[in-house]
Each structure stands twice: as C-alpha cells, then as structure tokens.
Amino acid sequence: MIIEKVKKRSGDIVDFDRAKIENAIEKACLATSTPVGKEVIIDITDTVVNNLAATFIGKIPGVEDVQDMVEKKIAGIGLFEVAKAYILYRKEHEKLREEKKQEILSRIARSDLKVKKRDGQIVVFNIAEIEKAIINCCQGFENVDTQGIIDAAKLNIYDGISTHDINQAVILALKARIELDPVYSQIASRFLINDLYKDVLGMDEFNPDFKQIHKAKFAEKMKEGIDSGRLHTKLAEFDFEKLASALKPERDSLFAYMGVQTLNDRYFLRGLDQKIIETPQYFWMRVAMGLAQAEMVDREAVAIQFYDTLSRMLYVSSTPTLLHSGTHHPQMSSCYLTTVEDDLGHIFKCMGDNAQLSKWSGGLGCDWTNIRGTNSLIKSINVGSQGVIPFLKIVDATTASINRSGKRRGAACVYLETWHYDIEEFLDLRKNTGDDRRRTHDINTANWIPDLFMKRVLSDGQWTLFSPDETPELHHVYGREFERKYEAYERKAETGEIKLFKKMRAVDLWRKMITMLFETGHPWMTFKDACNIRSPQDHVGVIHSSNLCTEITLNTSAEETAVCNLGSVNLIRHITPSGLDYNLLQQTVRTAVRMLDNVIDINFYPTKEAETSNLRHRPIGLGIMGFQDILYKLDLNFDSDEAIALSDKIMEYISYYAILASSEMAKEKGKYSSYEGSKWDRGFFPIDTLKMLESERGVETGVEMTSNMDWEAVREHVRRFGMRNSNCLAIAPTATIANISGCLPSIEPIYKNIYVKSNFSGDFTVVNQYLVEDLRKLNIWNESILEKLKYYDGSVQKITEIPANIRAKYKETFEIDPHWIVRHAAYRGKWIDQSQSVNIFSSSNSGRFISDIYLNAWRMGMKTTYYLRTLGASAIEKSTLDINKKFDSPEIVVAQPISIPLDSPNPLMMSPSNPEIYVAADAICESCQ
C-alpha cells in the first residue's frame, strides 16, 4: 500500500507530498541547531510514510495524523530537542490558524470579504445567502441543528472564495454530522442537488418557477448533448415535450448524499467544456430514452415506463448502461468472457480485443486453459514452451494501462483449470514475494475446478497435471465424460504415451489453493461442472470460465465472446408498511427484463465476436440488491432459517416473472436464434438442472426442491412460444449502483455498522441507518453509543446497553458463520440460470474451517464464489473519543499463515464450532457494477 492523498484541515483532499515532511523535520533540526544528516531525515520520512500506509488502509489520513506520526518518530529515535521544536512549531501554527479563523469570522460579520460568483463576477460576501440556502435545505426535517451547520460552514470561508467552494464548505459541515444522524445525509444530498440545479438550470428548487423551468430546460439540454456529439442523434426522434411532462423532480429527494455525489463525480453527462448538463431526473430519462430506442411502437410511452422504474430506483441498470445509454457509443454491457486458443496470433488478438472491450467499460473474464504448459514442445520451432505465466504478465500490464470510459481502471480475471500443468505457478501469481517477472498485481485470478478434483480431495486420491496440447479434450468436456477422458489420459501417462505430466496428492494441491486464497484473496473458487451441467445452452457449446465478478456463466469459443448485460432490482424500494410488495416486484421484473433485452439490440460492440455471441443467444442477467436492507425492515436475522426461506421465496418469485417476461417477449418479437435444442426447448428449468447436477455427480446438495408458486403456467408458455433470452438471471456485486440507490450491496450481510467513506470530495463517517432507527425507538441512541460503536469498529456485540435481540440483528458479516452465506446462495441458486457473485467472509484462519466452507459450497451446488474476505484492521477513527473513558478492549489475534492439519482420516471435513477472531488485511475492491 502507498499513500497517494491526504486530507487537509479544511476537508479538501490533495496529493500527498513527502517533501513537506522532510522540510518540516529539517526546519525543526535547524531551529535547535541539531546536526542531522539528510539520510536520517529521509529515513524518518520513509518510516512515517510506511506507518501511514499500514495504518490507513482503505482511507485517507489527515494532516494531523501525519504530524502525529512525525512527532512520535522524531522522539522515538532520541531527538528530543527536535521533537520539542516540532511540537512548538505545531502549537504556534495552531494559534495562528485560530487567530486567522477569528479574523475571518469578524470579517464575515462586517461583510468585509469578496466572493467569486458562477459568472465570474466578484461581489461582496453575504452570509445571509448561505444562511438562507441552509435553512431552505433543512425544511421538512426535524431536530436539525441549522445554526451549528452555519457556524461550521463559516470556519472554511476565506477572502476571494468561489461560490463552488462556499457550497463545499456547507457540505463538509453537513457530512460531519451524518455519523450522529443519517438525516444530514438527506440534507447534504439536497444541498448538492440544488447546487447542481443552479449550474444546469440557473436556479434552485426554492424558486417559484422551478418546476416550469426544470421541464422547459429538458429539451434544451438534450439538444445541447446532441449538438455537441455527446448524445446520439436518434434521441432527437423522441417527443421531448411529452417526456419532459413525465419528469418528477421531487424524486431527487430519494437520494442520500453518497448517491448523488457518486452520480455527480462519475455518471452525469458533461459537455465538451466538462460542465454537467444533466439534473438527476434528466439523467434517468436520458438512460430510459437510450434503452427505449429499440421499441417500434410508442417509444415515448415505453421510455416513460422505463424512466418511472429507474427514477424510483426500483431497478437500476449497471454502470456501463448508466454511463453510455443514449450516447454515440452505447456500450452498455458489463462484462465480457473470452477464450484464448493455443496460437500466438490468437493470443495477441485476444489481448487487443480485451483492450478494446475494457476501453468501453467492460470487465473481462479470460479463459487461458488452452495454452500449453511450461516445457511442452512447440513443434514448429522445436523448442519448449514458456507456458501460460509470461502471457499473463503481459495481460496484467495491459489491464493496468486501460482507463475504462475515463471513469475507472481496467479490470480482468483470468481462469485456469485445475489439471493444467502450470496450475501451481498460477496459484502464486498474486503473491508479493518471489520473482516479480512471474507475478501479477492488477489482474484477478480464479480456479476453474472440475468435480473429479473435488472428489479426489475428499477421498485423498492422486491428481495428475497435464499440458492441454497433449490432452486437448479435457477443457471442452465436463461431468462423467470428463471423468472418463481424464482417467484415460492418466492411463496414457502411466504407459508413457503422454510426455509432460505431474502427479501429486489432490489434498496437497487443495491445501495450496486454500492457503493462497487466504493469503492473497486469489485465485477464487469456481466450479466447472455445476456451471455446465446446469447451463441452458449445453447444446451449442461449453462454459470455459466465469466473468470478472463470477456471476456470469456463458459459452465461449474463438468465434464467440460472451457478453453479460446486467441490472439489479432494488429490494428495499419494494418494502411497504405491510411488508414486501410482490405485485410491485412483478411489475419491476417485467420492465427490467425488457430494458435488458433492449440493450442487446442497441449495444455498441467493440468486437465482432462479442456481437455474434450476444445477438445469437441474447443472454441477460437480472439480479438483486438491498437484501440485507429488507431483512432489517422485516426484523429478520441474516443467520436464521426464516431469512433463508425469504431468500428462496424472493428468488423464486423473480425467476418466475423474469422467465415469463422473456417468454412473452419471444411471443412478441421472436425466440433467440439458438433456442432449438436448449434446455428451455427440452422443458428443463433451473430447478430441474439442480436435480441433474445431483444425478451427474452422485452427490446430494441438501437443498430442498420445494417451491411456492405454480410453475406449470410458465412452463406451458415457454413450450408454446419459447424464450427471448438464453439466460435471464445473475446476481452481480452492485457496489457502485448500490451507493447510488442508497441500499446495501447485492445479497451480502452488512460489512460494517460504521465506516469511513473517502472520496475526492472529502471523507465522512457512515453509520448503519437501520441500527440508528432501532436504537432511537429505544431512546438509547446518543453520542456515548456512537463513541462505543467507533471504539468497537462497528460491532455492537460488546455494547451492553443495546438489548441482546438488537445485537443479534445487527451482527456484522464477520460475526456471522460463513456457512449461512453459502446456504443463502444455495437456496437462491436453484432458481438462477447463471450464477451469483458470492463473497465468503471468514473470521477464522483455520485451514480446516475455510476448507470446509468451500467443500460445502461445492456440495450444495454453488457454481461460483468471489473473494475470500478475512477480518481486517478497522479504518474507523477513534480520535474523537475521550481517551480517559474505559471500554472493554476487544481481543485481537494477529493472523499467522494458515495450515491444514492432516492428522485425521478426513481432516478437510472438520471445522471448529466456535472459530476465534483473527485479523488479516484485505482491501475491498470495486466490482463490475
């Protein structure tokens, strides 16, 4: 880790400059006439920088944090006079800052400051305008400290300040209060949106003509986008007046601060002068219009229907769709899956293709199993191959060099099957030690594991590694056929017919897989046979890998690059006082499926192989987010049978109406072209394929095959009219669109009840709003509880003032046995035709325990897993606590390298009933959504 940014006292985020540390130390040495060489100053600075990187994992240090560490280091090496001078220097500057602050407050009172307005005019600063804006934005909210916000904002005012920086000062004052009351998040969002209104519309919502101007400006801004080339000319075919009449600016109040800030930073359309030309509702309508272009009848009505679903955040499209819908290059797909052939020309063609796919915001899943192993013979030049690893080093560099749509770095995951000769080196790719020429630091890695390997692990059998040039069929078969061919190749190896192979205990390779997963978070565990046996498209190809985030399971080949088109239902927006509104959920699913299907026809395809695949099979991936939110609302614990039953019920309901909607579109628009012979055509639905998996493996999943709905009507509709889409369902991580929507990501339990959110607009502390709500009802939410929540890094388990039932409800993810995560995924999975992005969170460093989680995931029929998250050091600041207060100190044990003891007949099936809590750093990555 390195420190790239630092937070100034004003809250501004700026580049970190180590030279400032060196200069401050040098001045302190000169002030005390202490002879210290330059190398000592550099050494002190190095130590400070390293300590900052280790302490502030995932967040940005403040100037005071940096100075505290400098002070401790100087004193720690015995330079007490220098340390004293440094302390006095800090005190002196603190005094000067206070004097300057008082001077500014005095000048504000005298109206003796200047401000630069949006149009460039320099005018006299008038505090009354700020006060009015703050009071306006606080309207409708109870128990708001309006005067406190005004006073805090004043402290960041300076002579010559711009209007933009004045608004940032107010937002900083509001963000500082979010930790005690989530209502300030709503106010900060409202303030930021009104600032945006002034830039785009020339007025805020408190102007009596606001709604009229908001409606009238829509056509103007759309034409501006089209004339500048930012929007596609086809959008000019819409009736702007009709669409403008459907806009509902009051829905901007649905945003929390983090959502609107995310849109403001990354999503809103900008003109060529880089000024934003969209309000939030213009943004939703622009996305809806882009998705409605494929409609042949009454596009405006369909666009308004799409807009209504999006603007209420009932369903949110994936990031590429939000970024590019309606633009000249509408690349709206989330991820692409490629298969690389064992041919030098094709290898570098795929690298070039991947660069193009990544450029347009796609995440990449790349299958490299076809590439021959190290030392296998290249007959054309009669030399030994260097294997797959050197090529992956090039992929790593290429991935790091791509900036996806100017918004985020390139991202890829490379897959290798477990029998590949180079699998052991593949497992080491993400290590920070060893030969860096055989390490990758930017690409993700994943194991593509056949069932036979898992069976050999369980039976403590032998495993043989092969080079694909000598075993060309293995990568393209699965299930029992794979077992037959693999065993035949093993016999050939024994008789000398195969030259390059290696034998080992399967359990030894499994041990290394688990160890690397714990130490580096890679390679992820994904299961080849479950993906293929349950695939609706088994008649036209083989699934060779999953995607970047492991929720997509689609066929790939040299001719076809699989494409995943994603979006997610926001479950919390379907909750009413009487519970989950299933009728509204049905409407959302039907509309979402239509939006996703339209992506396929409108989409810009960076490569021919992607276009061929997507138009032929038309797969979509409808997912969910906000599952933990509805558990809180329905008063259910994640680790309960009732919550498992809810997972099962909701996913069945979404699957039912997604499949029905696709079949209804097939009746309207026609079946996808490769439908004939598919599992749909043969009458097999997702739940049927789970039974197929059990039969093929000879292992029961333990998942109950019960259902709550009458599926015969859907089966009959599919028999008569077929399907519009080869695949309908996939649950993506949704990290970014969940921020926009104000819900918790995807299907996961809450990571932390309190955390620090850092971005280029500053940082602020976020507290679980549902926890605050419940504690308020009990009249026990106060600053003392907040301090304890910070002290325990978000955990409520040791805060005895909180009742036991509330503590059980608000367990963080590391306080939940990960087997519950697996059970949820397994019961959802029986209704899903693709897969789910499932992180595994473990507070244990027991090899047995972690191994058992993945063996259980395989046994219960899970197709894929994502990151293994291990318990990391907290990023919550404790600096606001009274250090004299005494709380019970949590016991923390630093993680040691894991081991899997082999001291029992079947040690891998054992796990501790009460795993201890361990600490191991693990950064959260941004997902493809």
Side-chain angles (χ1 to χ4, degrees), residues 422-468:
D422 291 342
I423 189 67
E424 291 176 286
E425 280 200 272
F426 181 79
L427 298 178
D428 290 338
L429 279 173
R430 289 298 297 259
K431 289 178 69 173
N432 288 322
T433 58
D435 185 353
D436 198 60
R437 292 170 298 179
R438 304 188 78 79
R439 298 289 181 266
T440 58
H441 303 295
D442 288 287
I443 56 170
N444 302 290
T445 60
N447 290 298
W448 191 238
I449 308 170
D451 282 352
L452 182 60
F453 174 74
M454 301 302 291
K455 292 176 182 178
R456 296 273 180 96
V457 170
L458 291 171
S459 64
D460 196 11
Q462 290 291 305
W463 187 247
T464 309
L465 305 182
F466 295 109
S467 178

Side-chain angles (χ1 to χ4, degrees), residues 288-552:
M289 292 166 67
L291 292 171
Q293 288 180 72
E295 299 292 335
M296 297 295 104
V297 179
D298 200 352
R299 287 181 178 176
E300 284 77 14
V302 177
I304 290 169
Q305 179 189 14
F306 290 174
Y307 162 78
D308 191 60
T309 300
L310 291 165
S311 63
R312 293 164 68 189
M313 290 184 273
L314 298 168
Y315 160 87
V316 179
S317 303
S318 65
T319 285
T321 303
L322 298 180
L323 289 174
H324 299 141
S325 182
T327 67
H328 261 293
H329 289 90
Q331 195 303 103
M332 296 184 280
S333 298
S334 298
C335 287
Y336 296 87
L337 288 68
T338 60
T339 285
V340 182
E341 297 295 323
D342 189 32
D343 172 81
L344 194 61
H346 194 258
I347 288 170
F348 282 93
K349 178 187 184 302
C350 286
M351 289 183 186
D353 287 352
N354 287 348
Q356 287 296 323
L357 296 169
S358 193
K359 170 185 175 181
W360 293 106
S361 216
L364 308 175
C366 309
D367 158 39
W368 284 83
T369 299
N370 287 321
I371 307 304
R372 69 189 66 199
T374 303
N375 294 324
S376 60
L377 183 65
I378 303 174
K379 293 180 180 178
S380 59
I381 54 176
N382 197 31
V383 297
S385 169
Q386 295 188 68
V388 72
I389 304 301
F391 292 116
L392 297 184
K393 185 68 177 177
I394 301 172
V395 173
D396 187 58
T398 304
T399 299
S401 69
I402 300 295
N403 187 346
R404 290 188 284 169
S405 295
K407 306 293 183 181
R408 49 186 177 169
R409 293 178 66 189
C413 181
V414 293
Y415 285 75
L416 203 69
E417 202 159 339
T418 316
W419 52 263
H420 194 285
Y421 192 77
D422 291 342
I423 189 67
E424 291 176 286
E425 280 200 272
F426 181 79
L427 298 178
D428 290 338
L429 279 173
R430 289 298 297 259
K431 289 178 69 173
N432 288 322
T433 58
D435 185 353
D436 198 60
R437 292 170 298 179
R438 304 188 78 79
R439 298 289 181 266
T440 58
H441 303 295
D442 288 287
I443 56 170
N444 302 290
T445 60
N447 290 298
W448 191 238
I449 308 170
D451 282 352
L452 182 60
F453 174 74
M454 301 302 291
K455 292 176 182 178
R456 296 273 180 96
V457 170
L458 291 171
S459 64
D460 196 11
Q462 290 291 305
W463 187 247
T464 309
L465 305 182
F466 295 109
S467 178
D469 61 317
E470 293 189 281
T471 57
E473 298 164 297
L474 289 184
H475 192 38
H476 309 291
V477 293
Y478 53 87
R480 290 173 184 162
E481 186 178 0
F482 174 89
E483 292 188 14
R484 287 192 294 270
K485 291 189 179 296
Y486 184 87
E487 289 167 354
Y489 282 127
E490 284 186 310
R491 289 190 293 271
K492 285 187 175 182
E494 292 294 332
T495 60
E497 295 176 70
I498 288 179
K499 305 300 181 184
L500 189 65
F501 68 93
K502 181 179 180 180
K503 301 197 75 168
M504 62 180 63
R505 288 177 67 198
V507 74
D508 289 342
L509 183 56
W510 177 252
R511 178 193 290 110
K512 184 169 183 178
M513 291 162 70
I514 293 292
T515 301
M516 288 299 100
L517 190 59
F518 176 83
E519 290 183 1
T520 70
H522 295 84
W524 306 325
M525 301 286 195
T526 58
F527 303 110
K528 170 186 179 178
D529 289 15
C531 293
N532 277 284
I533 291 166
R534 299 193 63 199
S535 169
Q537 292 294 96
D538 57 345
H539 66 306
V540 290
V542 175
I543 300 168
H544 292 110
S545 72
S546 186
N547 67 315
L548 171 63
C549 301
T550 76
E551 78 276 11
I552 300 303

Side-chain angles (χ1 to χ4, degrees), residues 421 691 716 889:
Y421 192 77
K691 298 171 188 175
E716 176 58 26
S889 297

